[in-house]
Amino acid sequence: MHEPGSPTSGSLGARVPARRRRELLRRLLAMAGGLGLGTGRAADESPPVAGSTPGPRRKLAIALGSGGAHGVAHLGVMRAFESRGLRPDLIVGTSAGAIVGALWAAGLDAAQVEREGARFGLFDAMRPAWPTLGLASNEGLQRALRELLPARPIEALPIPFAAVATDLADGRRVLIDRGDAPSAVAASACMPVIFRPVEREGRRLVDGALVEPVPVRSARALGGVHVVAIDIAFRPADEPVAHALDAAFQMVHILVNALIDEQIGEADVPVRLQLHPLMRGRAEYAAVLADAAERAVEQVWPRIVG
C-alpha cells in the first residue's frame, strides 16, 4: 500500500491525524473508482453532449454508472449477459463503470475482470503528487490497463466503448470514444483533489460522475437505441454524518444522486441498486455486490431483450 508522502506544514496531513487521513483517502478513493484500474478518445475530439455528433445506431447500449467501491457490482451485470450469450452493441461508463466497461469492451469476461481487479488495487496505483492539483497521481491506473487491454486505442476494442469525464476548466462533459484507452478511463475515474487531473490534448480531465454519474445521455449521443442503465451510486443515507469531512462527502452524494434522479429516467431499462447495506459487517463484499447486481439484471431481462 502506498500513501502520499510526508505532509508539509499547513497541508491536509498536518491538520488531520494519520488514522483519520487514511480513512479520508479510503472514502474519497471509494468515490473515485472501485477496482483500481483506469481507460479513452483524444479530449479535444470529444465534444460535450450539446455538441456531440450522433454515431451509428447501436441497438443495445449499456450505461455503467459510478459508485466507487460498489464498482464490483458491475461484474454481476457482465455475468448476467454472459450467461445468456448476449453481447452489447455499445458500452459507456463513468468512473468505476468506465473501468469495468473498458475491460468488458476489450473482450475480458467477468471472471477475468474480477481476477485482474484483485491484482491492481487503487492504493497500489497511487504515487505522491504534491503540491500539484491532486494528492496523488493515478498513472498507476493507466499502467495497469496497459497490461490488461489487448487493444489500447478505443477504436480497436471489439465492442464500441466510451468513457465520460469532466473538463476541470469549464465543468463540461467530455465524451471519450477514441484514442488512448488507459488515459481515458483514468480521466473518467479521476476524483478531484485526491487524483491529479489527467491531461489529454490540452484539457485537464477529472471524474465523469461530476456531470453524468450514469451515462444514459452519452449512450444516446453515441447511437444507443435501447439503453440499459446501471446505477450503483452511494446514497446520502448510506453513512451517518458526524464530522465536517462526513458533511463534505454527504454533499457529493446528494449532488450525484440529484443528477442520477434527473438523468436515469431517460433510460429504457433503468436498474437502480441499493448496495451499501450489503457491505456492512463484511470484510469481503465483492461477491455479494456482484450477486445482487446479477439478480437485478435477471429480474428485468424480459425488458432488456423485449
Coordinates of all heavy atoms in Angstrom, one line a residue, residues 38-116:
G38 N -7.6 2.1 -14.6 CA -8.2 3.2 -15.2 C -8.2 3.2 -16.7 O -7.5 2.5 -17.4
T39 N -9.4 4.0 -18.1 CA -9.2 4.0 -19.6 C -9.7 5.1 -20.4 O -9.6 6.1 -20.2 CB -9.7 2.8 -20.3 OG1 -9.6 2.9 -21.7 CG2 -10.9 2.3 -20.2
G40 N -10.0 5.8 -22.9 CA -10.2 6.7 -23.8 C -10.3 7.3 -25.2 O -10.1 6.6 -26.0
R41 N -10.7 8.6 -26.2 CA -10.6 9.4 -27.4 C -9.9 10.7 -27.1 O -10.1 11.2 -26.0 CB -12.0 9.6 -28.0 CG -12.4 10.9 -28.7 CD -13.8 10.8 -29.1 NE -14.2 12.0 -29.8 CZ -15.4 12.1 -30.4 NH1 -16.3 11.1 -30.3 NH2 -15.7 13.2 -31.0
A42 N -9.2 11.3 -28.0 CA -8.5 12.5 -27.7 C -9.4 13.5 -27.2 O -10.5 13.7 -27.8 CB -7.7 13.0 -28.9
A43 N -9.1 14.2 -26.1 CA -10.0 15.1 -25.4 C -10.6 16.2 -26.3 O -11.7 16.5 -26.3 CB -9.4 15.7 -24.2
D44 N -9.7 16.8 -27.2 CA -10.2 17.9 -28.0 C -11.1 17.4 -29.1 O -11.7 18.1 -29.8 CB -9.0 18.7 -28.6 CG -8.1 17.9 -29.5 OD1 -8.2 16.6 -29.5 OD2 -7.4 18.5 -30.2
E45 N -11.1 16.0 -29.3 CA -12.0 15.5 -30.3 C -13.3 14.9 -29.7 O -14.1 14.3 -30.3 CB -11.3 14.3 -31.1 CG -10.1 14.8 -31.8 CD -9.3 13.6 -32.4 OE1 -9.8 12.5 -32.2 OE2 -8.2 13.8 -33.0
S46 N -13.5 15.2 -28.4 CA -14.6 14.6 -27.6 C -15.5 15.7 -27.2 O -15.3 16.3 -26.1 CB -14.1 13.9 -26.4 OG -13.1 12.9 -26.8
P47 N -16.5 16.1 -28.1 CA -17.3 17.3 -27.7 C -18.2 17.0 -26.5 O -18.6 15.8 -26.3 CB -18.1 17.5 -29.0 CG -18.2 16.1 -29.6 CD -16.8 15.5 -29.3
P48 N -18.6 18.0 -25.8 CA -19.6 17.8 -24.7 C -20.9 17.4 -25.3 O -21.1 17.4 -26.6 CB -19.7 19.2 -24.1 CG -18.5 19.9 -24.5 CD -18.1 19.4 -25.8
V49 N -21.8 16.9 -24.5 CA -23.1 16.4 -25.0 C -23.7 17.3 -26.0 O -24.2 16.9 -27.1 CB -24.0 16.2 -23.8 CG1 -25.4 15.7 -24.3 CG2 -23.5 15.1 -22.9
A50 N -23.8 18.6 -25.7 CA -24.6 19.5 -26.5 C -24.0 19.6 -27.9 O -24.8 19.8 -28.9 CB -24.5 20.9 -25.9
G51 N -22.7 19.3 -28.1 CA -22.1 19.4 -29.4 C -21.8 18.0 -30.0 O -21.1 18.0 -31.0
S52 N -22.2 16.9 -29.4 CA -21.9 15.6 -29.9 C -22.5 15.3 -31.3 O -23.7 15.7 -31.5 CB -22.3 14.6 -28.9 OG -21.5 14.7 -27.7
T53 N -21.8 14.7 -32.1 CA -22.3 14.2 -33.4 C -22.8 12.8 -33.2 O -22.1 11.9 -32.8 CB -21.3 14.2 -34.5 OG1 -20.8 15.6 -34.6 CG2 -21.8 13.7 -35.8
P54 N -24.1 12.5 -33.5 CA -24.6 11.2 -33.2 C -23.8 10.1 -34.0 O -23.5 10.4 -35.2 CB -26.1 11.2 -33.7 CG -26.4 12.7 -33.6 CD -25.1 13.4 -33.9
G55 N -23.5 9.0 -33.4 CA -22.8 7.9 -34.1 C -23.8 7.0 -34.8 O -25.0 7.3 -34.8
P56 N -23.3 5.9 -35.3 CA -24.2 4.9 -35.9 C -25.2 4.4 -34.9 O -24.9 4.3 -33.7 CB -23.2 3.8 -36.4 CG -22.0 4.0 -35.6 CD -21.9 5.5 -35.3
R57 N -26.4 4.0 -35.3 CA -27.4 3.5 -34.4 C -26.9 2.1 -33.9 O -26.6 1.2 -34.7 CB -28.7 3.4 -35.1 CG -29.3 4.7 -35.3 CD -30.5 4.6 -36.2 NE -31.6 3.8 -35.6 CZ -32.5 4.3 -34.8 NH1 -32.5 5.6 -34.4 NH2 -33.5 3.6 -34.3
R58 N -26.9 2.0 -32.6 CA -26.5 0.7 -32.0 C -27.6 0.2 -31.1 O -28.0 0.9 -30.1 CB -25.2 0.9 -31.1 CG -24.0 1.1 -32.0 CD -22.9 1.9 -31.4 NE -21.7 2.0 -32.2 CZ -20.8 3.0 -32.1 NH1 -21.0 4.0 -31.2 NH2 -19.8 3.0 -32.9
K59 N -28.2 -0.9 -31.4 CA -29.5 -1.3 -30.8 C -29.4 -1.4 -29.3 O -30.2 -0.7 -28.6 CB -29.9 -2.6 -31.3 CG -31.3 -3.0 -30.8 CD -31.8 -4.3 -31.5 CE -33.2 -4.6 -30.9 NZ -33.7 -5.9 -31.5
L60 N -28.4 -2.1 -28.7 CA -28.4 -2.3 -27.3 C -27.2 -1.6 -26.7 O -26.0 -2.0 -27.0 CB -28.3 -3.8 -26.9 CG -28.2 -4.2 -25.5 CD1 -29.4 -3.6 -24.7 CD2 -28.1 -5.7 -25.3
A61 N -27.4 -0.7 -25.8 CA -26.3 0.1 -25.2 C -26.4 -0.1 -23.7 O -27.5 -0.1 -23.1 CB -26.4 1.6 -25.5
I62 N -25.2 -0.3 -23.0 CA -25.2 -0.5 -21.6 C -24.5 0.8 -21.0 O -23.4 1.1 -21.4 CB -24.4 -1.7 -21.2 CG1 -24.9 -3.0 -21.9 CG2 -24.4 -1.9 -19.7 CD1 -26.3 -3.3 -21.6
A63 N -25.1 1.4 -20.1 CA -24.6 2.6 -19.4 C -24.2 2.2 -18.0 O -25.1 2.0 -17.1 CB -25.6 3.7 -19.4
L64 N -22.9 2.1 -17.7 CA -22.4 1.6 -16.4 C -22.1 2.8 -15.5 O -21.2 3.6 -15.9 CB -21.2 0.7 -16.6 CG -21.4 -0.6 -17.3 CD1 -20.1 -1.3 -17.5 CD2 -22.5 -1.5 -16.7
G65 N -22.7 3.0 -14.4 CA -22.6 4.2 -13.6 C -21.4 4.1 -12.6 O -20.8 3.1 -12.4
S66 N -21.2 5.3 -12.0 CA -20.1 5.5 -11.0 C -20.6 4.9 -9.7 O -21.8 4.7 -9.5 CB -19.8 7.0 -10.8 OG -20.9 7.7 -10.4
G67 N -19.7 4.7 -8.8 CA -20.1 4.2 -7.5 C -18.9 3.7 -6.6 O -19.1 3.1 -5.6
G68 N -17.7 4.0 -7.0 CA -16.5 3.7 -6.2 C -16.4 2.2 -5.8 O -16.4 1.3 -6.7
A69 N -16.4 1.9 -4.6 CA -16.2 0.5 -4.1 C -17.4 -0.3 -4.5 O -17.3 -1.6 -4.6 CB -16.1 0.5 -2.6
H70 N -18.5 0.3 -4.9 CA -19.6 -0.5 -5.4 C -19.4 -1.0 -6.8 O -20.2 -1.8 -7.4 CB -20.9 0.4 -5.4 CG -21.4 0.8 -4.1 ND1 -22.4 1.7 -3.9 CD2 -21.0 0.4 -2.8 CE1 -22.6 1.9 -2.6 NE2 -21.8 1.1 -1.9
G71 N -18.3 -0.5 -7.4 CA -18.0 -0.9 -8.8 C -17.9 -2.3 -9.1 O -18.2 -2.8 -10.2
V72 N -17.6 -3.2 -8.1 CA -17.5 -4.6 -8.3 C -18.9 -5.2 -8.7 O -19.0 -6.3 -9.3 CB -17.0 -5.3 -7.1 CG1 -15.5 -5.0 -6.9 CG2 -17.8 -5.0 -5.8
A73 N -20.0 -4.4 -8.4 CA -21.3 -4.9 -8.8 C -21.4 -5.0 -10.3 O -22.2 -5.9 -10.8 CB -22.4 -4.0 -8.2
H74 N -20.7 -4.2 -11.0 CA -20.8 -4.3 -12.5 C -20.4 -5.7 -13.0 O -20.7 -6.1 -14.1 CB -20.0 -3.2 -13.1 CG -20.5 -1.9 -13.0 ND1 -21.9 -1.6 -13.2 CD2 -20.0 -0.7 -12.7 CE1 -22.1 -0.3 -13.0 NE2 -20.9 0.3 -12.7
L75 N -19.6 -6.4 -12.2 CA -19.2 -7.8 -12.6 C -20.5 -8.7 -12.7 O -20.6 -9.6 -13.6 CB -18.2 -8.4 -11.7 CG -16.9 -7.7 -11.5 CD1 -16.0 -8.4 -10.5 CD2 -16.2 -7.5 -12.8
G76 N -21.4 -8.4 -11.8 CA -22.7 -9.2 -11.9 C -23.5 -8.9 -13.2 O -24.1 -9.8 -13.7
V77 N -23.4 -7.6 -13.6 CA -24.1 -7.3 -14.9 C -23.4 -8.0 -16.0 O -24.1 -8.6 -16.9 CB -24.0 -5.7 -15.1 CG1 -24.6 -5.3 -16.4 CG2 -24.6 -5.0 -13.9
M78 N -22.1 -8.1 -16.0 CA -21.4 -8.8 -17.0 C -21.8 -10.3 -17.0 O -22.1 -10.9 -18.1 CB -19.9 -8.7 -16.8 CG -19.3 -7.4 -17.1 SD -17.5 -7.4 -16.9 CE -17.0 -8.5 -18.2
R79 N -21.9 -10.9 -15.8 CA -22.2 -12.3 -15.7 C -23.6 -12.6 -16.3 O -23.8 -13.6 -17.0 CB -22.1 -12.8 -14.3 CG -20.8 -12.8 -13.7 CD -20.6 -13.8 -12.5 NE -21.6 -13.5 -11.5 CZ -21.4 -13.1 -10.3 NH1 -20.1 -12.9 -9.9 NH2 -22.4 -13.0 -9.4
A80 N -24.6 -11.7 -16.0 CA -25.9 -11.9 -16.5 C -26.0 -11.9 -18.0 O -26.7 -12.7 -18.6 CB -26.8 -10.8 -15.9
F81 N -25.2 -11.0 -18.6 CA -25.2 -11.0 -20.1 C -24.4 -12.2 -20.6 O -24.9 -12.8 -21.6 CB -24.6 -9.7 -20.6 CG -25.5 -8.5 -20.6 CD1 -25.9 -7.9 -19.5 CD2 -26.1 -8.2 -21.8 CE1 -26.7 -6.8 -19.5 CE2 -27.0 -7.1 -21.9 CZ -27.3 -6.4 -20.7
E82 N -23.3 -12.6 -20.0 CA -22.5 -13.7 -20.5 C -23.3 -15.0 -20.4 O -23.3 -15.8 -21.3 CB -21.3 -13.8 -19.7 CG -20.2 -12.8 -19.9 CD -19.1 -12.8 -18.9 OE1 -19.1 -13.8 -18.1 OE2 -18.3 -11.9 -18.9
S83 N -24.1 -15.2 -19.3 CA -24.8 -16.5 -19.1 C -25.9 -16.6 -20.2 O -26.4 -17.7 -20.4 CB -25.4 -16.5 -17.7 OG -26.4 -15.5 -17.5
R84 N -26.3 -15.5 -20.7 CA -27.4 -15.6 -21.7 C -26.9 -15.4 -23.2 O -27.7 -15.3 -24.1 CB -28.5 -14.5 -21.4 CG -29.3 -14.9 -20.2 CD -29.9 -13.7 -19.5 NE -30.8 -14.1 -18.4 CZ -30.2 -14.4 -17.2 NH1 -28.9 -14.3 -17.0 NH2 -31.0 -14.8 -16.2
G85 N -25.6 -15.3 -23.3 CA -25.0 -15.2 -24.6 C -25.3 -13.9 -25.4 O -25.3 -13.9 -26.6
L86 N -25.6 -12.8 -24.6 CA -25.9 -11.6 -25.3 C -24.8 -10.6 -25.1 O -24.3 -10.3 -24.0 CB -27.2 -11.0 -24.6 CG -27.7 -9.7 -25.3 CD1 -28.1 -9.9 -26.7 CD2 -28.9 -9.1 -24.5
R87 N -24.4 -10.0 -26.3 CA -23.3 -9.1 -26.3 C -23.8 -7.7 -26.6 O -24.5 -7.5 -27.6 CB -22.3 -9.5 -27.4 CG -21.2 -8.4 -27.7 CD -20.2 -9.0 -28.6 NE -19.6 -8.0 -29.5 CZ -18.4 -8.1 -30.0 NH1 -17.7 -9.2 -29.8 NH2 -17.9 -7.1 -30.7
P88 N -23.5 -6.7 -25.8 CA -24.0 -5.3 -26.0 C -23.4 -4.8 -27.3 O -22.3 -5.2 -27.8 CB -23.4 -4.5 -24.8 CG -23.1 -5.5 -23.8 CD -22.7 -6.7 -24.5
D89 N -24.1 -3.8 -28.0 CA -23.6 -3.2 -29.2 C -22.8 -2.0 -28.8 O -22.0 -1.4 -29.7 CB -24.8 -2.8 -30.0 CG -25.6 -4.0 -30.5 OD1 -25.0 -4.9 -31.1 OD2 -26.8 -4.0 -30.2
L90 N -22.9 -1.5 -27.6 CA -22.2 -0.3 -27.1 C -22.1 -0.3 -25.6 O -23.1 -0.7 -24.9 CB -22.9 1.0 -27.6 CG -22.5 2.3 -27.0 CD1 -21.1 2.7 -27.5 CD2 -23.5 3.5 -27.3
I91 N -21.0 0.1 -25.1 CA -20.8 0.2 -23.6 C -20.2 1.6 -23.3 O -19.2 2.0 -23.9 CB -19.8 -0.9 -23.1 CG1 -20.3 -2.3 -23.4 CG2 -19.6 -0.7 -21.5 CD1 -19.3 -3.4 -23.0
V92 N -20.9 2.3 -22.4 CA -20.5 3.6 -22.0 C -20.3 3.6 -20.5 O -21.2 3.1 -19.8 CB -21.4 4.7 -22.4 CG1 -20.9 6.1 -22.0 CG2 -21.7 4.7 -23.9
G93 N -19.2 4.1 -19.9 CA -19.0 4.0 -18.5 C -18.6 5.3 -17.9 O -17.9 6.1 -18.6
T94 N -18.9 5.5 -16.7 CA -18.5 6.7 -15.9 C -17.7 6.1 -14.7 O -18.3 5.3 -13.9 CB -19.6 7.6 -15.4 OG1 -20.3 8.1 -16.5 CG2 -19.1 8.7 -14.5
S95 N -16.5 6.6 -14.4 CA -15.7 6.3 -13.2 C -15.5 4.8 -13.1 O -14.9 4.2 -13.9 CB -16.4 7.0 -12.0 OG -15.5 7.1 -10.9
A96 N -16.0 4.2 -12.0 CA -15.9 2.8 -11.8 C -16.5 2.0 -13.0 O -16.1 1.0 -13.4 CB -16.6 2.3 -10.5
G97 N -17.6 2.6 -13.6 CA -18.3 2.0 -14.7 C -17.4 2.0 -15.9 O -17.4 1.1 -16.8
A98 N -16.5 3.0 -16.1 CA -15.6 3.1 -17.2 C -14.5 2.1 -17.0 O -14.1 1.5 -18.0 CB -15.0 4.5 -17.3
I99 N -14.1 1.8 -15.8 CA -13.1 0.8 -15.6 C -13.5 -0.6 -16.0 O -12.9 -1.3 -16.8 CB -12.7 0.8 -14.1 CG1 -12.0 2.1 -13.7 CG2 -11.8 -0.4 -13.8 CD1 -11.8 2.3 -12.2
V100 N -14.7 -1.0 -15.5 CA -15.2 -2.3 -15.9 C -15.7 -2.3 -17.3 O -15.4 -3.3 -18.1 CB -16.4 -2.6 -15.0 CG1 -17.1 -4.0 -15.4 CG2 -16.0 -2.8 -13.5
G101 N -16.3 -1.2 -17.8 CA -16.7 -1.2 -19.2 C -15.6 -1.3 -20.2 O -15.8 -2.0 -21.2
A102 N -14.5 -0.7 -20.0 CA -13.4 -0.8 -20.9 C -12.9 -2.3 -21.0 O -12.6 -2.8 -22.1 CB -12.2 0.1 -20.5
L103 N -12.8 -2.9 -19.9 CA -12.3 -4.3 -19.9 C -13.4 -5.2 -20.5 O -13.0 -6.2 -21.2 CB -12.1 -4.8 -18.4 CG -10.9 -4.0 -17.7 CD1 -10.8 -4.4 -16.3 CD2 -9.6 -4.2 -18.4
W104 N -14.6 -5.0 -20.3 CA -15.7 -5.7 -21.0 C -15.6 -5.5 -22.5 O -15.7 -6.5 -23.2 CB -17.1 -5.2 -20.4 CG -18.3 -6.1 -20.8 CD1 -18.3 -7.1 -21.6 CD2 -19.6 -5.9 -20.3 NE1 -19.6 -7.6 -21.8 CE2 -20.4 -6.9 -21.0 CE3 -20.2 -4.9 -19.5 CZ2 -21.8 -6.9 -20.8 CZ3 -21.6 -5.0 -19.3 CH2 -22.4 -6.0 -19.9
A105 N -15.5 -4.3 -22.9 CA -15.4 -3.9 -24.3 C -14.2 -4.6 -25.0 O -14.2 -4.9 -26.2 CB -15.4 -2.4 -24.5
A106 N -13.1 -4.8 -24.2 CA -11.9 -5.4 -24.7 C -12.0 -6.9 -24.9 O -11.1 -7.5 -25.4 CB -10.7 -5.1 -23.8
G107 N -13.1 -7.5 -24.4 CA -13.3 -8.9 -24.6 C -13.0 -9.8 -23.4 O -13.1 -11.0 -23.4
L108 N -12.7 -9.1 -22.2 CA -12.5 -9.9 -21.0 C -13.8 -10.4 -20.5 O -14.8 -9.6 -20.6 CB -11.7 -9.1 -19.9 CG -10.2 -9.0 -20.0 CD1 -9.8 -8.2 -21.2 CD2 -9.6 -8.5 -18.8
D109 N -13.9 -11.5 -19.8 CA -15.1 -12.0 -19.2 C -15.1 -11.6 -17.7 O -14.1 -11.0 -17.2 CB -15.3 -13.5 -19.4 CG -14.3 -14.3 -18.7 OD1 -13.6 -13.9 -17.7 OD2 -14.0 -15.4 -19.3
A110 N -16.2 -11.8 -17.1 CA -16.4 -11.3 -15.7 C -15.4 -11.9 -14.8 O -14.8 -11.3 -13.9 CB -17.8 -11.6 -15.2
A111 N -15.1 -13.2 -15.0 CA -14.1 -13.9 -14.1 C -12.7 -13.3 -14.3 O -12.0 -13.1 -13.3 CB -14.0 -15.4 -14.4
Q112 N -12.3 -12.9 -15.5 CA -11.0 -12.3 -15.7 C -11.0 -10.9 -15.1 O -10.0 -10.5 -14.5 CB -10.8 -12.2 -17.3 CG -10.5 -13.5 -17.9 CD -10.4 -13.3 -19.4 OE1 -11.4 -12.9 -20.1 NE2 -9.3 -13.7 -20.0
V113 N -12.0 -10.1 -15.2 CA -12.1 -8.8 -14.7 C -11.9 -8.8 -13.2 O -11.2 -8.1 -12.5 CB -13.3 -8.0 -15.1 CG1 -13.4 -6.7 -14.4 CG2 -13.4 -7.8 -16.6
E114 N -12.7 -9.8 -12.6 CA -12.6 -9.9 -11.1 C -11.2 -10.3 -10.7 O -10.6 -9.8 -9.7 CB -13.6 -11.0 -10.6 CG -13.6 -11.2 -9.1 CD -14.6 -12.2 -8.7 OE1 -15.2 -12.9 -9.6 OE2 -14.9 -12.3 -7.5
R115 N -10.6 -11.2 -11.4 CA -9.2 -11.7 -11.0 C -8.2 -10.5 -11.2 O -7.4 -10.3 -10.3 CB -8.8 -12.9 -11.9 CG -7.5 -13.5 -11.6 CD -7.4 -14.9 -12.3 NE -7.6 -14.8 -13.7 CZ -8.6 -15.3 -14.4 NH1 -9.6 -15.9 -13.8 NH2 -8.7 -15.2 -15.7
E116 N -8.3 -9.8 -12.3 CA -7.3 -8.7 -12.6 C -7.6 -7.5 -11.6 O -6.6 -6.9 -11.2 CB -7.4 -8.3 -14.0 CG -7.0 -9.4 -15.0 CD -5.6 -10.0 -14.8 OE1 -4.8 -9.3 -14.2 OE2 -5.4 -11.2 -15.2

